[in-house]
Each structure stands twice: as structure tokens, then as C-alpha cells.
Amino acid sequence: MSGSELSYYRAIDQCTRSLKNLEACLDKAETYSAEKKFGVEVLMAGRLAPDMGGFIYQVQSACDYVKGAAAWLSGQVPPRHEDHETTIDEVRARIRKTVAYVESLIEPQYAEAATRRVKLSWAPGKAIGGEDYLLQVAIPNIYFHIVMAYAILRHNGVGVGKMDFLGPMNFVDA
Amino acid sequence: MSGSELSYYRAIDQCTRSLKNLEACLDKAETYSAEKKFGVEVLMAGRLAPDMGGFIYQVQSACDYVKGAAAWLSGQVPPRHEDHETTIDEVRARIRKTVAYVESLIEPQYAEAATRRVKLSWAPGKAIGGEDYLLQVAIPNIYFHIVMAYAILRHNGVGVGKMDFLGPMNFVDA
């Protein structure tokens, strides 16, 4: 690999890690609701505006963009995951199912990522190249929905901090 | 460029575009406050939780992560931009100053991005490699603060939609 280019595989892997970090925020949501003596389903139904998707929708969308990015960039058709989650345990399971799918793909499958053309259901008749798809569609959408899920918890008082969102980073001694 | 790798330059360029998309959301904030007859400074001071940074802080942070990523990955020391913004016009100017800096850098300056080691003020004694810095620090932080700024506007009733956040994408006819 040359010094000036990035790996598609690693870019997707980091998105998957960000989903795992969101799963850890679910534990904080559960603890908080127990401490404050309300049902955690209140947080699962939380939203920032009445005409905006709630917490579970944000997680489902983040999962689907991660799954789609991994699939299309590695030459697969993404498996369909139905949006039937209503409980926190089902939300956890949705994240784990997504992570398991992405982790079933191996680096050589991304070899042609840059030259693939991706079609999206919300852009009929159009396609987008692999690099533009990753940078302009996948990454912004994945982080949009993960951050919005985080924001809903934070707005409702859950003690999640930026480091919960960022998760582990590969720092070394300087 | 091989088919399996991504450009650091293009990854940073997309982050810069996302900042420009946020600037367009400022126009919607201004229009909304005029229609509803309140001062736009209310939105600039908006926040999602009392112990969380407000709108202007979120924009300043997004700008600094974009500026830092462009600088460190291209072998520069980022210029210092003081956090003195209080008005919407000053917020616009901060975004434009950041964009102008990043756009002053050219693709060949990123040639050694992957092999650079970056030190961060909030991780004393530590460093992180160029690829990990981009994927684990820069991109997540940039989108965290941009999405949080967007979320504050949305929560306060500004009619920003996902397409305002995503901005133009390079779709072609399928």
C-alpha cells in the first residue's frame, strides 16, 4: 500500500466500531433509567423534534448504512434486516446482527471497492462511484444517525460523554 | 491510484464540503428566526443539554477538527483560530476562514499522510498514525460536531432536512 491512500476495509471497520460504541451507550441508558426509576422504553422512544425519527429509527438507519456500505463496496447484496425493534434488547440485537454481517466480510473482498457503482433506493435512475459513495453517502449518513441517537440520549439526561462515542483509539507512546 | 484505496485528500475535501453544507443551514436558521420574530442569537446559544456545548461551540469544534486534520495530514502546523464568535455572521466567517485554509492545501501535500504521526493536546505523551488519526479521531469528531450543530437547529424548529446536511453528491445516470 502506498503512503498516500486509505483502505476501504479499514474505513468500514471503523464505522462498525462506532456502532459498537453506540451499543455501549445503551448500557448507560439502561442504568440511568433504572436509577431514575422510569422505563428505558421512554428513551427508546425519545426524539429531538416531533417530525423526526426517534431513537430506535436512528439506530436502525445507522445499522442499515453500515451494512449497505460493507455489502456494496465488497460486491455483495446486503441482507434485509426488518425494522421491527421495539425494546432495548432488540436494539442491541440489531446492532450485533449488523456487526456480525460486516465482520463476516474480509479485506480482499473490498479490492474493487473504488470502481464499483452503487445504486440507492432513494435515488432512482442514478448511481454513484465507490469512493463518492463511501465519502458522500455512507460515512455522513452513518455518523448522522449514530450522533443523532447519542444526542437523543444526552438530551434526555443519560451521562454519555464524547469518549463513549469515540471509543478506543490506536494511540501509541509519543 | 489502485482500485482498492482511498485518497486522503478527497476524504478531507468531503469534510470541508460538509462544513459548507452547515453554512447553508445558517441561512435557514436566519430565515426561521425572522419568520418567527425572535433574534437568531437564541439559536446561536441553543444547546441540547445544560452541561453540553452550545451551537457556536459545536461549529468552532467542527471547524478546528477539519483544520487540524487538513494541516496534520499534509505536514503543516494548523493556524490558530481564536474562539471569539458570538454572532451568526461571525460563525459564518469562522466556517469560511476554515474552508479557505483547507482549500489552500493541494493534493500532493497529502502524499505522506498515512505515515505521519499526529499528537493531540488532549492526549499528552501519545501520538497516533495518519490513518488511525483520520478514521478514529478526525472524521468521527468532525461529524459529531456538525451533526450536533444541525441537531440543535432541528430541535429548535429550524426546517433543516437530511439533504441540507448531505449536500450535493456525485450521482450519475445509472
Side-chain angles (χ1 to χ4, degrees):
Chain A
M1 175 169 161
S2 85
S4 65
E5 294 169 345
L6 270 166
S7 152
Y8 279 85
Y9 173 77
R10 291 246 24 245
I12 296 298
D13 179 62
Q14 189 57 42
C15 294
T16 313
R17 290 171 190 233
S18 296
L19 268 189
K20 290 183 185 174
N21 298 340
L22 183 59
E23 191 187 342
C25 292
L26 291 172
D27 299 339
K28 289 202 170 184
E30 200 156 42
T31 302
Y32 178 76
S33 68
E35 283 171 2
K36 294 280 185 181
K37 303 191 195 317
F38 66 85
V40 73
E41 65 273 13
V42 176
L43 295 174
M44 298 299 101
R47 59 182 75 222
L48 293 180
D51 58 342
M52 187 173 168
F55 181 81
I56 290 179
Y57 169 81
Q58 303 297 340
V59 178
Q60 289 167 336
S61 297
C63 285
D64 275 359
Y65 275 107
V66 173
K67 167 168 67 75
W72 298 126
L73 292 173
S74 66
Q76 320 298 312
V77 174
R80 186 170 180 84
H81 291 171
E82 299 293 339
D83 293 331
H84 56 47
E85 291 81 9
T86 58
T87 69
I88 190 168
D89 283 337
E90 288 168 351
V91 172
R92 281 194 181 93
R94 175 67 173 261
I95 292 175
R96 287 177 190 172
K97 183 166 61 172
T98 304
V99 170
Y101 172 68
V102 177
E103 291 183 346
S104 75
L105 302 167
I106 59 174
E107 186 156 11
Q109 293 178 282
Y110 291 88
E112 305 303 322
T115 53
R116 294 191 190 280
R117 282 162 66 96
V118 179
K119 295 179 187 180
L120 297 164
S121 60
W122 47 268
K126 301 286 181 182
I128 188 165
E131 188 177 62
D132 288 326
Y133 168 66
L134 180 70
L135 296 177
Q136 299 186 329
V137 178
I139 287 175
N141 274 292
I142 289 164
Y143 282 110
F144 181 89
H145 292 291
I146 289 177
V147 174
M148 213 54 88
Y150 172 97
I152 291 169
L153 297 182
R154 188 75 168 76
H155 175 62
N156 280 281
V158 180
V160 284
K162 173 87 86 67
M163 288 300 166
D164 295 306
F165 164 75
L166 292 175
M169 291 163 277
N170 296 336
F171 280 105
V172 295
D173 290 334
Chain B
M1 176 168 159
S2 86
S4 65
E5 292 169 347
L6 270 166
S7 152
Y8 279 85
Y9 173 77
R10 290 244 24 244
I12 296 299
D13 179 61
Q14 190 57 42
C15 293
T16 312
R17 290 170 190 234
S18 295
L19 266 190
K20 289 183 185 175
N21 298 341
L22 183 59
E23 191 186 343
C25 292
L26 291 171
D27 299 339
K28 289 203 170 184
E30 200 157 42
T31 301
Y32 179 76
S33 68
E35 284 170 0
K36 294 282 186 179
K37 302 192 194 317
F38 66 85
V40 74
E41 65 273 13
V42 175
L43 295 174
M44 297 298 103
R47 59 182 75 222
L48 293 181
D51 57 342
M52 190 174 168
F55 181 82
I56 290 179
Y57 168 81
Q58 303 297 341
V59 179
Q60 290 166 337
S61 296
C63 285
D64 275 359
Y65 274 106
V66 173
K67 167 168 67 76
W72 297 125
L73 292 173
S74 66
Q76 320 296 312
V77 174
R80 186 171 179 83
H81 292 171
E82 299 292 341
D83 293 331
H84 55 47
E85 291 81 9
T86 58
T87 69
I88 190 169
D89 283 337
E90 288 168 351
V91 172
R92 282 194 180 94
R94 176 66 173 262
I95 292 175
R96 288 177 189 174
K97 184 166 62 172
T98 304
V99 170
Y101 172 69
V102 177
E103 291 183 346
S104 76
L105 302 167
I106 58 174
E107 186 155 11
Q109 292 178 283
Y110 290 88
E112 304 303 321
T115 53
R116 294 191 190 280
R117 281 162 66 95
V118 178
K119 295 178 187 179
L120 297 163
S121 60
W122 47 269
K126 300 288 181 182
I128 189 165
E131 188 177 60
D132 288 327
Y133 168 65
L134 179 71
L135 296 177
Q136 301 186 329
V137 177
I139 287 175
N141 274 291
I142 289 165
Y143 282 110
F144 182 90
H145 292 291
I146 289 177
V147 174
M148 214 55 88
Y150 172 98
I152 291 170
L153 297 183
R154 189 75 169 73
H155 177 61
N156 280 281
V158 179
V160 285
K162 172 87 88 66
M163 288 300 166
D164 295 306
F165 164 75
L166 292 175
M169 290 162 277
N170 296 335
F171 280 105
V172 294
D173 289 334

